[in-house]
């Protein structure tokens, strides 16, 4: 849709190149550029005009159209459209114009967290050691999906039982500990599979070894959940939430947990305090 907008929407190719340059220079992620550009491309194609020429009413009419289409203003497409417009206007110094974009309140949702028994149940069904190891690393080290995919064999320090996570969110490195069970599993996997460069390999269309895709990780988790019979929605991030919650319940302090998760702000980590069962004053059901 971006390519289509560059060809058919007025001046969109110029705006897209400017977005690309700004995102690259600022060090923002590729997903930021993709999300903003797709939403802006759809808007430009729908309205068939230069986005910088839109007046307040035209923008609000389009956002109203999105709200009705996606049911809720917190929908990710609506959100990325608003954020993308703000970013584009800043690039062209339109931040001081009369264009008023709505603020988006973040929904107060607590994460899905598995019990210890559910984690065990999830690890049993996969027939391949590779898939068990994927689930084990996501839960045992609190990794994000893209961090797992980028893991290289050289990032493993099995002797010290440490894992080097390179360029996580915000392009920050961190070290996380490995448990003896994961160390044994990784050693067995390396001896059996002989991965090339990345710990988990995929193959490109030309047959070259590349890093495993995020979709491959999602498929492995989805299959394990289906075979285990767990009813909760289990994702890579659910396993990261479970890692954080279980560590808090086991006595790890909030500052240490912040460093293990690679959070930029302690407020993000403190959200887990609402989920974890802590101390003698933990809530309970009176029934």
């Amino acid at each position: 849709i971006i390519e289509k907008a560059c060809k058919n929407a007025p001046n969109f190719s110029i705006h897209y190149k400017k977005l690309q340059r700004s995102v690259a220079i600022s060090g923002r992620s590729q997903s930021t550029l993709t999300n903003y550009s797709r939403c802006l491309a759809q808007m430009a194609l729908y309205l068939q005009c230069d986005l910088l020429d839109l007046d307040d009413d035209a923008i609000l009419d389009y956002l109203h159209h999105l709200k009705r289409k996606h049911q809720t203003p917190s929908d990710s497409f609506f959100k990325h459209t608003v954020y993308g417009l703000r970013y584009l206007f800043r690039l062209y110094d339109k931040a001081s114009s009369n264009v008023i974009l709505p603020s988006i309140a973040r929904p107060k949702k607590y994460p899905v967290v598995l019990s210890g028994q559910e984690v065990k149940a999830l690890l049993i069904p996969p027939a391949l050691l590779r898939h068990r190891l994927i689930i084990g690393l996501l839960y045992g080290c609190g990794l994000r999906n893209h961090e797992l995919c980028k893991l290289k064999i050289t990032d493993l320090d099995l002797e010290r039982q440490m894992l080097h996570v390179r360029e996580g969110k915000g392009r920050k490195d961190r070290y996380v500990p490995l448990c003896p069970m994961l160390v044994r599993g990784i050693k067995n996997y390396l001896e059996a599979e002989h991965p090339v460069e990345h710990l988990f390999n995929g193959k490109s269309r030309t047959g070259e070894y590349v890093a495993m895709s995020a979709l491959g990780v999602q498929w492995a988790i989805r299959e394990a959940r289906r075979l285990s019979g767990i009813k909760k929605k289990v994702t890579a991030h659910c396993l990261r939430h479970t890692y954080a919650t279980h560590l808090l319940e086991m006595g790890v302090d909030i500052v240490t947990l912040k460093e293990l998760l690679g959070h930029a702000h302690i407020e993000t980590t403190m959200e887990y305090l609402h989920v974890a069962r802590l101390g003698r004053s933990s809530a309970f059901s009176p029934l």
Side-chain angles (χ1 to χ4, degrees):
I1 192 168
I2 296 171
E3 187 177 340
K4 187 178 178 182
C6 286
K7 290 179 180 178
N8 302 317
N11 292 329
F12 187 81
S13 61
I14 298 171
H15 302 330
Y16 180 61
K17 286 176 182 175
K18 200 157 186 173
L19 281 169
Q20 274 185 313
R21 185 180 64 185
S22 176
V23 167
I25 291 172
S26 64
R28 292 172 183 263
S29 68
Q30 181 63 33
S31 63
T32 298
L33 174 66
T34 303
N35 289 331
Y36 289 179
S37 300
R38 281 177 180 168
C39 295
L40 294 178
Q42 181 135 330
M43 186 177 184
L45 288 169
Y46 181 83
L47 298 174
Q48 275 302 309
C49 68
D50 187 332
L51 296 177
L52 296 181
D53 293 338
L54 294 172
D55 59 21
D56 295 6
D57 283 338
I59 291 173
L60 293 175
D61 283 344
Y62 181 75
L63 294 178
H64 184 226
H65 158 73
L66 283 187
K67 183 176 178 181
R68 286 183 300 169
K69 181 180 177 182
H70 294 276
Q71 300 301 316
T72 168
S74 63
D75 179 89
S76 61
F77 195 89
F78 183 95
K79 179 184 72 176
H80 288 136
T81 301
V82 173
Y83 291 169
L85 279 172
R86 284 180 188 159
Y87 196 85
L88 183 68
F89 291 161
R90 281 201 301 272
L91 291 181
Y92 285 93
D93 199 25
K94 282 194 66 172
S96 58
S97 72
N98 292 325
V99 177
I100 299 173
L101 292 169
S103 60
I104 299 176
R106 291 187 178 183
K108 191 68 175 178
K109 293 182 179 179
Y110 290 138
V112 175
V113 173
L114 303 180
S115 68
Q117 289 302 317
E118 285 172 327
V119 174
K120 288 181 181 178
L122 200 66
L123 285 164
I124 292 170
L128 298 178
L129 173 60
R130 169 193 179 97
H131 292 161
R132 289 200 299 276
L133 198 55
I134 285 170
I135 295 168
L137 282 167
L138 288 170
Y139 168 70
C141 297
L143 303 180
R144 300 177 178 94
N145 192 332
H146 74 273
E147 291 171 344
L148 178 83
C149 294
K150 290 197 302 183
L151 276 182
K152 295 185 177 181
I153 300 169
T154 52
D155 296 332
L156 301 166
D157 188 340
L158 300 182
E159 191 172 323
R160 293 175 57 237
Q161 298 190 1
M162 296 295 288
L163 182 65
H164 189 177
V165 183
R166 298 180 189 273
E167 292 196 9
K169 194 172 182 179
R171 307 187 72 177
K172 294 189 303 180
D173 283 17
R174 69 184 189 276
Y175 278 96
V176 293
L178 292 165
C179 70
M181 183 186 297
L182 276 175
V183 171
R184 287 197 303 272
I186 291 170
K187 285 180 177 178
N188 291 337
Y189 169 76
L190 292 175
E191 289 176 7
E193 298 291 332
H194 305 292
V196 178
E197 189 178 1
H198 290 91
L199 183 60
F200 300 110
N201 291 141
K203 277 193 176 181
S204 67
R205 292 178 181 177
T206 57
E208 295 176 325
Y209 285 107
V210 293
M212 185 182 187
S213 70
L215 290 175
V217 174
Q218 292 167 6
W219 183 89
I221 297 169
R222 193 164 56 245
E223 280 298 290
R225 172 189 172 273
R226 182 181 66 82
L227 294 170
S228 69
I230 295 172
K231 301 302 180 187
K232 294 177 182 175
K233 184 180 179 181
V234 183
T235 62
H237 227 65
C238 166
L239 293 170
R240 176 174 160 85
H241 292 321
T242 303
Y243 164 86
T245 305
H246 288 184
L247 282 183
L248 272 179
E249 292 176 344
M250 292 172 183
V252 172
D253 66 89
I254 197 78
V255 176
T256 301
L257 183 61
K258 171 185 174 292
E259 298 305 316
L260 290 172
L261 291 170
H263 285 161
H265 306 289
I266 192 71
E267 291 80 8
T268 308
T269 318
M270 288 177 71
E271 290 293 322
Y272 293 107
L273 292 172
H274 297 290
V275 186
R277 299 177 61 187
L278 302 173
R280 289 175 293 177
S281 59
S282 296
F284 60 92
S285 168
L287 184 60

